[in-house]
Every structure is written in structure tokens, then in C-alpha cells.
Amino acid sequence: MHLRREFENPGPALKTVASRLSRGAYKRCERPSEPSVADSRGRVVRAVGKTQTFLSAAEVDELVALYEQGMTLAQLGERFGVYHRTVAAHLVRRSVPMRVRGLAEEHSSEAVRLYEGGMTLMEVGLHFGVSQGAVKRAVAAAGATIRPRGRRPLVTA
């Protein structure tokens, strides 16, 4: 195929491509019909250094059941060998209601009490197993004043 004949006024980039094509610099290759990698679960596609694992319908059913029993997205991702966002995508496709992230409502009053008692946002977060941002949102929503960073209240004895 002679690209130069197809275009009346080719630019430098097109001239380079046409020249390389005419010299045979570009080789045409066919993709294999079967994926090059497979494991016990089935086909695995390797592209751009990342391996993509396809879960069967039965595996997705198991994933949904385990999520509903309380496993986290990260735990499920590790168990099934997929990224945690892939787990979330499977759950969304199955219309599974996602658990609310952050501090549970029943812990909000306790978190406010601990924070106003002198603990930092980080310490309260570690106590409940959530991030300091989640604690900050819950404490602010409860109407408590957020101290400047690194400041603890003065404790008088």
C-alpha cells in the first residue's frame, strides 16, 4: 500500500510512516486465538503488564454471598485474585447494596465524647477502625468544634 498516492499534501509524520512502511519496517502479526495464560479458574488475559482474571457466574454468586456475610472489598479481592474495585463493580452489577463507609451512626456519639475528652481524630479513628477523615465528618456533623491540627485540649486536674 502506497500512502503517498492517497494524500495530496502529506506532512512530515505521514512521510516517515510511508517511508518505513515501504521499506518493510512494520511487521504485521496476528493475535493468537487463545489467551497465552490460563489458570484453574479459566482464561486469563495478559495485556500491558496487567493480568485480568474473569470470574465465573458461580464465583460472582459466592462473592456476593461473602460480601453480604460481612467480608470487605479488600478481603474479597484477595480471596478471588482481583482488584477491590473489580469486586465493587461485580456487586454493583448484581444490584447489591453497598455498605456505608466510615463511622457507623451508633458510634458517632461515642466518637464525639472521646474526641471532646482529649483524644485526637487519629486516635478515635484507630479506636473504631476508620480513618481520621471519617471521624472528623462524624464529629463535625454532630456539631462539635474541630480543634486545630495537633492541638489537644488543656486537661485540668
Side-chain angles (χ1 to χ4, degrees):
M1 178 177 183
H2 296 284
L3 293 176
R4 289 186 188 199
R5 293 182 189 157
E6 299 294 323
F7 298 97
E8 201 168 295
N9 190 15
L14 183 58
K15 287 180 183 178
T16 302
V17 170
S19 171
R20 288 179 181 170
L21 184 64
S22 65
R23 286 182 287 147
Y26 300 118
K27 294 181 181 173
R28 185 172 180 200
C29 61
E30 298 291 326
R31 288 185 178 195
S33 60
E34 290 294 318
S36 59
V37 180
D39 66 8
S40 61
R41 294 175 292 182
R43 65 184 180 140
V44 178
V45 178
R46 180 174 294 282
V48 195
K50 294 184 180 180
T51 302
Q52 192 173 20
T53 303
F54 295 94
L55 300 180
S56 67
E59 288 174 316
V60 176
D61 291 339
E62 181 183 355
L63 183 143
V64 169
L66 291 171
Y67 180 77
E68 289 174 341
Q69 291 173 10
M71 285 185 79
T72 66
L73 297 179
Q75 290 169 335
L76 289 168
E78 193 172 312
R79 179 173 180 148
F80 288 95
V82 296
Y83 189 54
H84 68 92
R85 290 183 186 250
T86 304
V87 172
H90 282 298
L91 295 171
V92 167
R93 279 188 218 109
R94 292 285 180 97
S95 301
V96 176
M98 302 295 284
R99 289 192 292 268
V100 178
R101 292 175 44 200
L103 192 63
E105 285 220 20
E106 60 266 16
H107 298 300
S108 292
S109 61
E110 176 72 8
V112 171
R113 188 184 64 72
L114 292 172
Y115 181 71
E116 288 179 339
M119 290 178 80
T120 64
L121 293 172
M122 180 66 77
E123 290 167 341
V124 176
L126 289 171
H127 178 76
F128 290 107
V130 296
S131 70
Q132 71 182 47
V135 174
K136 184 176 182 179
R137 285 188 295 275
V139 169
T145 304
I146 304 296
R147 298 185 299 267
R149 189 177 182 130
R151 297 275 172 96
R152 289 183 183 257
L154 295 174
V155 179
T156 56

